[in-house]
């Protein structure tokens, strides 16, 4: 009886080990593709220009009034920052440990400021490229007390790399719903003060050329390096 | 012939005397006119205080500017005046004034403004710690009785087991975020200070 049981048990064990190995392989192979969308409820909708003046926003169980956005109003920065005198490649460095951002053109420091990276979901690390810029969009996600609905998110700059596809919706953008920069506060994106996001928006490539949205051609977008670990 | 020179001598002497007297009279008057009035050190109006520094801090959305002016007083203290200037209509409202010793000056933290720009907080060092004051930006009193709320003293009154280690910024429209340690030094929770109700909300999430 014992011999029969062992004989029948061996194939089952073998099959289990094989299944487990296959599962681990799948996890390793496709884990990157399984990265959750930065804005779980507006994953695709966030990837386009969206102005929703008059709609209420919700963040941290609070109803808030988003800033009105007038696409016809082009700030002075849109003209001035296109005519910068520094030369060299533009590069944005984000230190998650210190929660800071530094933007360089060549060796010249364009901006240094505080940011808020992912708190509820981690911001991705690595080298990225800006692939699209929108003057404003809608971002929504989370559940329960963590639910958020944020129309008119200003100065959105989406970035990607081979591990973080464009469709995942990770971006640098302004944040009007909190002022706690220097501390992790987001769902994976990089939050900035609106005044800082505006400057980076008009400084970085692809140039908006005073348009409200732009999709970068291949190799055109400003490079972003995100490193460290949020506290 | 002998009397004639005497007359000339007397006339010359008289003329000289008159000239000298006239010169002395004019010179004396001139000196009098140029003598400065003695300075009254007990003047009713103290000398004008000099503006030492003026700093402008933009709100995160760029719609308002907080202007901080420091004036040195004659007693060595600094008079600090804070005003809010609207970028849209350029109006300016004085919101707070405080006289402090040089070591206790108010500063404007990076995350000072509430997201709505309706409130802001300032900080100053006292007894080796930072004290935070929350104010309205329209110049009105924060509560019925007070122009501002002091976070540290209000918190200590209600939660003696914890002490504030860092006030970080605004987690919402009216919610100041701060971290605490327990009195025995262990890491404590993060909290919200709700400016509208002057209440404290203990958070399950730690905002490092």
């Amino acid at each position: 009886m014992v011999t029969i049981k062992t004989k029948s048990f061996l194939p089952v064990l073998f099959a289990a080990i094989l299944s487990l190995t296959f599962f681990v392989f799948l996890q390793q192979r496709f884990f990157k593709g399984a990265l959750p969308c930065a804005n779980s409820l507006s994953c695709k909708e966030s990837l386009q220009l969206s102005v929703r003046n008059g709609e209420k926003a919700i963040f941290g169980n609070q109803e808030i009034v988003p800033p009105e956005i007038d696409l016809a109003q082009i700030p002075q920065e849109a003209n001035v920052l296109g005519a910068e005198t520094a030369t060299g490649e533009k590069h944005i460095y984000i230190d998650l440990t210190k929660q800071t951002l530094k933007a360089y053109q060549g060796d010249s420091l364009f901006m240094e400021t505080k940011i808020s990276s992912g708190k509820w979901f981690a911001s991705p690390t690595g080298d990225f490229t800006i692939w699209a810029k929108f003057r404003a969009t809608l971002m929504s996600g989370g559940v329960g007390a963590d639910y958020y609905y944020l129309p008119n998110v200003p100065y959105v700059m989406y970035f990607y790399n081979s591990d973080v596809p464009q469709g995942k919706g990770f971006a640098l953008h302004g944040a009007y719903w909190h002022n706690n920069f220097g501390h992790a506060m987001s769902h994976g994106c990089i939050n900035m003060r609106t005044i800082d996001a505006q400057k980076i928006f008009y400084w970085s490539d692809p140039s908006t050329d005073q348009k409200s949205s732009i999709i970068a051609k291949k190799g055109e977008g400003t490079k972003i390096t995100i490193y460290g670990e949020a506290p | 012939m002998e009397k004639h020179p005497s007359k000339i001598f007397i006339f010359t002497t008289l003329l000289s005397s008159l000239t000298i007297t006239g010169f002395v009279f004019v010179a004396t008057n001139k000196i009098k006119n140029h003598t400065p009035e003695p300075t009254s050190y007990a003047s009713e109006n103290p000398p004008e205080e000099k503006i030492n520094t003026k700093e402008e801090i933009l709100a995160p959305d760029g719609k308002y500017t907080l202007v901080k002016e420091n004036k040195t007083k004659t007693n060595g203290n600094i008079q600090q005046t804070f005003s809010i200037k609207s970028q849209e209509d350029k109006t300016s409202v004085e919101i707070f004034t405080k006289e402090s010793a040089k070591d206790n000056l108010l500063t404007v933290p990076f995350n000072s403004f509430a997201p709505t720009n309706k409130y802001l907080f300032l900080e100053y060092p006292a007894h080796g710690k930072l004290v935070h004051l929350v104010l309205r930006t329209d110049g009105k009193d924060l509560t019925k009785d007070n122009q501002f709320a002091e976070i540290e003293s209000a918190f200590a009154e209600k939660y003696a087991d914890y002490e504030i280690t860092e006030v970080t910024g605004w987690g919402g429209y009216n919610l100041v975020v701060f971290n605490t340690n327990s009195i025995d030094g262990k890491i404590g929770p993060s909290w919200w200070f709700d400016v509208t109700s002057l209440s404290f909300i203990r958070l399950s999430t730690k905002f490092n």
Side-chain angles (χ1 to χ4, degrees):
Chain A
M1 289 290 284
V2 175
T3 314
I4 293 165
K5 270 189 180 173
T6 309
K7 273 185 179 172
S8 61
F9 176 71
L10 276 174
V12 174
L13 184 68
F14 182 70
I17 291 169
L18 204 66
S19 301
L20 194 66
T21 310
F22 185 62
F23 177 73
V24 170
F25 168 77
L26 284 177
Q27 281 288 309
Q28 290 292 320
R29 176 70 181 83
F30 297 108
F31 173 74
K32 288 162 187 172
L35 182 73
C37 202
N39 300 289
S40 56
L41 299 178
S42 62
C43 194
K44 286 183 182 171
E45 204 178 353
S46 292
L47 304 179
Q48 59 190 339
L49 178 71
S50 167
V51 175
R52 293 165 180 252
N53 290 335
E55 277 194 12
K56 292 277 169 63
I58 295 170
F59 182 79
N61 271 336
Q62 274 194 315
E63 197 174 86
I64 38 189
V65 182
E68 296 271 309
I69 288 178
D70 178 4
L71 294 179
Q73 200 176 30
I74 306 291
Q76 209 177 358
E77 279 76 4
N79 304 318
V80 175
L81 298 179
E84 69 274 3
T85 52
T87 55
E89 190 185 337
K90 291 174 182 172
H91 204 123
I92 297 167
Y93 295 91
I94 293 164
D95 184 339
L96 298 181
T97 309
K98 293 180 180 171
Q99 295 285 298
T100 56
L101 175 149
K102 288 182 182 177
Y104 286 91
Q105 182 158 21
D107 295 332
S108 185
L109 180 67
F110 171 72
M111 179 195 278
E112 181 174 4
T113 191
K114 294 183 181 184
I115 55 100
S116 288
S117 72
K119 174 78 181 169
W120 289 272
F121 295 99
S123 299
T125 53
D127 293 317
F128 303 91
T129 305
I130 293 177
W131 67 271
K133 301 203 298 191
F134 300 113
R135 171 64 183 83
T137 197
L138 168 77
M139 293 187 177
S140 179
V143 286
D146 183 35
Y147 171 73
Y148 63 94
Y149 181 85
L150 301 165
N152 290 5
V153 176
Y155 303 110
V156 185
M157 293 158 272
Y158 284 108
F159 56 79
Y160 82 111
N161 67 10
S162 56
D163 296 336
V164 182
Q166 294 170 333
K168 296 300 174 189
F170 286 91
L172 267 68
H173 59 74
Y176 58 79
W177 50 93
H178 77 84
N179 187 16
N180 198 28
F181 301 100
H183 304 270
M185 283 291 287
S186 84
H187 292 77
C189 285
I190 305 296
N191 291 183
M192 305 170 72
R193 298 192 303 186
T194 302
I195 47 172
D196 295 335
Q198 185 192 63
K199 283 180 186 168
I200 292 289
F201 185 83
Y202 290 116
W203 169 82
S204 63
D205 293 319
S207 169
T208 54
D209 198 21
Q210 302 196 1
K211 293 186 193 112
S212 301
S213 65
I214 187 89
I215 306 291
K217 292 171 190 163
K218 199 175 179 185
E220 193 183 30
T222 294
K223 299 281 184 289
I224 300 173
T225 301
I226 305 177
Y227 60 97
E229 194 177 340
Chain B
M1 286 294 287
E2 279 185 26
K3 282 184 181 176
H4 192 67
S6 296
K7 279 183 180 174
I8 292 169
F9 177 69
I10 290 166
F11 178 74
T12 309
T13 307
L14 194 65
L15 191 67
S16 302
S17 300
L18 278 170
T19 307
I20 290 166
T21 308
F23 178 75
V24 169
F25 176 74
V26 170
T28 309
N29 269 339
K30 271 192 175 177
I31 289 166
K32 272 186 180 172
N33 289 339
H34 283 84
T35 302
E37 289 291 319
T39 305
S40 170
Y41 293 104
S43 170
E44 284 180 8
N45 300 317
E48 189 73 19
E49 289 159 346
K50 193 181 170 185
I51 294 176
N52 297 107
T53 58
K54 187 176 179 179
E55 193 183 343
E56 297 197 347
I57 302 102
L58 208 55
D61 62 2
K63 290 180 180 170
Y64 292 90
T65 305
L66 175 63
V67 182
K68 183 182 82 173
E69 287 181 88
N70 287 5
K71 288 180 185 178
T72 307
K73 303 279 287 184
T74 48
N75 62 4
N77 284 347
I78 310 288
Q79 177 87 36
Q80 295 190 286
T81 306
F82 294 85
S83 310
I84 291 286
K85 199 166 66 181
S86 164
Q87 295 297 105
E88 194 176 273
D89 56 20
K90 305 294 176 194
T91 53
S92 185
V93 181
E94 188 177 306
I95 61 164
F96 191 55
T97 300
K98 187 172 183 277
E99 185 178 327
S100 312
K102 283 179 182 174
D103 296 335
N104 305 111
L105 292 182
L106 286 158
T107 53
V108 183
F110 186 82
N111 295 323
S112 176
F113 277 89
T116 51
N117 297 325
K118 193 175 176 184
Y119 308 102
L120 57 77
F121 68 87
L122 306 170
E123 64 184 22
Y124 69 94
H127 311 296
K129 291 178 181 174
L130 284 173
V131 177
H132 295 83
L133 309 180
V134 184
L135 299 149
R136 287 175 64 119
T137 55
D138 58 5
K140 294 176 182 169
D141 289 351
L142 185 71
T143 66
K144 205 194 291 183
D145 307 317
N146 287 307
Q147 189 184 10
F148 59 84
E150 191 199 298
I151 299 175
E152 280 75 8
S153 59
F155 183 72
E157 258 179 43
K158 291 182 180 174
Y159 301 96
D161 294 341
Y162 295 100
E163 60 180 3
I164 295 175
T165 53
E166 184 188 19
V167 176
T168 66
W170 296 84
Y173 265 24
N174 47 294
L175 304 168
V176 181
V177 185
F178 62 90
N179 294 321
T180 59
N181 276 354
S182 60
I183 292 298
D184 59 9
K186 289 179 185 166
I187 294 172
S190 294
W191 302 70
W192 278 340
F193 174 53
D194 185 338
V195 175
T196 52
S197 61
L198 303 180
S199 61
F200 294 95
I201 302 155
R202 184 178 169 147
L203 303 176
S204 55
T205 307
K206 180 80 178 172
F207 287 90
N208 293 315

